Amino acid sequence: MVGVPTETVYGLAGNALNEPSVRKIFEVKGRPLIDPLIVHFASLQAAEAHVEFNDRARELAARFWPGALTMVRPTKATISDLVTAGLPSVAIRVPGHPVFHQLLEGLDFPLAAPSANPFGYVSPTLAEHVRRTLGDRIAAVLDGGACQHGVESTIVDLRDPESPRILRPGPISAESLGITMESAKSNSDRGAQAAPGMLTQHYSPNTQITLFDQGGQPNTVNEKDAVIYTSKPEASAPDNTFWLSESGELQEIAHNLFNLIQKLDQQTFTRIHIELAEDTEIGVAINDRLRRAAAKRTN
Ligand code: TXA
Ligand code: MG
């Protein structure tokens, strides 16, 4: 059980072909067994030994791997039901982070790796986040620095080549995948059923999150609240004001988002007000994670 850096978020990696190792991943995260894992391979060739590909999937692999695209494909018998939560399909990715990629190339088995956070909490984008939340339960964390993208991979369901569906928006946008925005949105609603792990309330810090519109202002800010803007405010700001980028650049907002939320969650704020991002490109993924973080807890 090792924490690994990826270009999206840190993962909690174990041998995907070894059941006790996979079981341990669920235990360490406190993750329910109905929530399937992503399997990471060193290359498309390595993945083809365990997963069925078609032309569309190979074409996307050629364009986006190694990288932040996860594909859901029919599985071959080598992948255990524990990894897929009994589904006939498996989520797979060839990651681009040089440290993780080098690790995969040195192994003769793929690595199952969910994000390396306790189930339901914000994903880690620094080795330090993994050490703080799971450090006493795992052997080591490979420190590969701050994750480039800062949000989890885009998950696309390619089982029906006629209508690919985005199950989770991420760094690779619907536009670049050739799926229109409109259908990407409605598909992500339907995806909630196809992917049992995509719970409405997820990615949540302990501090209550309230969102406000892009370009707007939070409603009522109490003395002990914090406010996060997507870009640096023009007027000088009080001490409880923070921002995710100087200029409002979406890549930078995504890169800084989870770290700032985790930092403020360590402090004593009673509520964090966060400005939504522009709803385009990686901003769609940012807003998806923010809405889930702000959703009312059901348990
Ligand atoms: O960027 C990422 O994807 C990171 C890094 C470590 O690779 N991993 C990650 O894994 O975010 P995790 O387990 O936190 O989220 C994976 C999501 C879950 O919501 C799960 O339900 C969905 O992928 N998933 C896994 N297998 C699936 C399948 N066969 N069909 C549909 N959804 C699946
Ligand atoms: Mg996760």
Side-chain angles (χ1 to χ4, degrees):
M1 217 46 30
V2 172
V4 293
T6 92
E7 67 273 51
T8 57
V9 299
Y10 273 77
L12 177 63
N15 182 348
L17 305 181
N18 178 273
E19 284 217 0
S21 165
V22 174
R23 199 174 289 281
K24 182 116 193 268
I25 294 175
F26 285 93
E27 271 170 34
V28 165
K29 268 189 73 106
R31 179 177 178 125
L33 291 168
I34 56 157
D35 192 359
L37 303 177
I38 298 177
V39 180
H40 300 75
F41 295 92
S43 65
L44 171 63
Q45 289 92 306
E48 296 226 27
H50 300 279
V51 183
E52 303 286 351
F53 278 76
N54 61 12
D55 288 348
R56 181 82 200 246
R58 281 197 195 92
E59 178 217 319
L60 287 179
R63 273 174 66 202
F64 295 106
W65 283 356
L69 182 70
T70 295
M71 294 191 234
V72 174
R73 296 294 309 154
T75 165
K76 295 181 180 170
T78 46
I79 305 284
S80 102
D81 277 354
L82 204 53
V83 172
T84 63
L87 296 171
S89 60
V90 61
I92 52 165
R93 176 161 103 83
V94 173
H97 192 291
V99 173
F100 193 20
H101 199 255
Q102 194 186 342
L103 174 64
L104 284 164
E105 286 197 311
L107 299 172
D108 59 3
F109 49 82
L111 290 173
S115 51
N117 50 293
F119 183 69
Y121 194 67
V122 185
S123 292
T125 55
L126 293 173
E128 173 200 321
H129 297 156
V130 185
R131 277 189 228 109
R132 180 165 52 77
T133 57
L134 299 177
D136 56 347
R137 278 172 268 174
I138 60 179
V141 184
L142 285 178
D143 192 340
C147 300
Q148 181 202 339
H149 296 302
V151 293
E152 303 83 353
S153 62
T154 303
I155 304 181
V156 56
D157 182 349
L158 287 169
R159 284 170 298 169
D160 178 359
E162 299 305 311
S163 67
R165 301 161 46 191
I166 291 185
L167 299 180
R168 180 176 70 183
I172 296 178
S173 66
E175 295 95 320
S176 58
L177 286 167
I179 304 174
T180 63
M181 240 14 214
E182 227 35 65
S183 73
K185 264 186 199 155
S186 53
N187 280 342
S188 90
D189 293 340
R190 279 193 279 140
Q193 290 130 43
M198 284 152 206
L199 309 172
T200 309
Q201 201 262 316
H202 209 58
Y203 309 106
S204 292
N206 298 314
T207 316
Q208 182 66 52
I209 302 286
T210 307
L211 305 177
F212 59 99
D213 288 342
Q214 165 66 29
Q217 292 294 332
N219 252 340
T220 316
V221 180
N222 293 314
E223 208 181 310
K224 290 191 166 164
D225 292 358
V227 182
I228 299 180
Y229 291 96
T230 51
S231 57
K232 187 174 177 180
E234 276 165 27
S236 75
D239 280 354
N240 63 345
T241 305
F242 304 86
W243 50 91
L244 291 159
S245 88
E246 286 292 313
S247 62
E249 208 260 312
L250 287 170
Q251 300 284 343
E252 193 185 350
I253 295 168
H255 177 81
N256 292 325
L257 181 68
F258 290 162
N259 184 34
L260 184 56
I261 290 178
Q262 295 208 33
K263 244 198 232 159
L264 300 188
D265 201 29
Q266 302 307 296
Q267 300 180 26
T268 56
F269 296 112
T270 47
R271 183 181 289 271
I272 307 172
H273 304 266
I274 310 181
E275 181 183 6
L276 287 160
E278 209 183 310
D279 218 8
T280 173
E281 298 285 328
I282 201 171
V284 176
I286 294 169
N287 291 341
D288 170 75
R289 305 307 188 274
L290 287 176
R291 291 200 175 94
R292 289 174 206 269
K296 279 241 164 9
R297 275 156 216 258
T298 49
N299 51 4

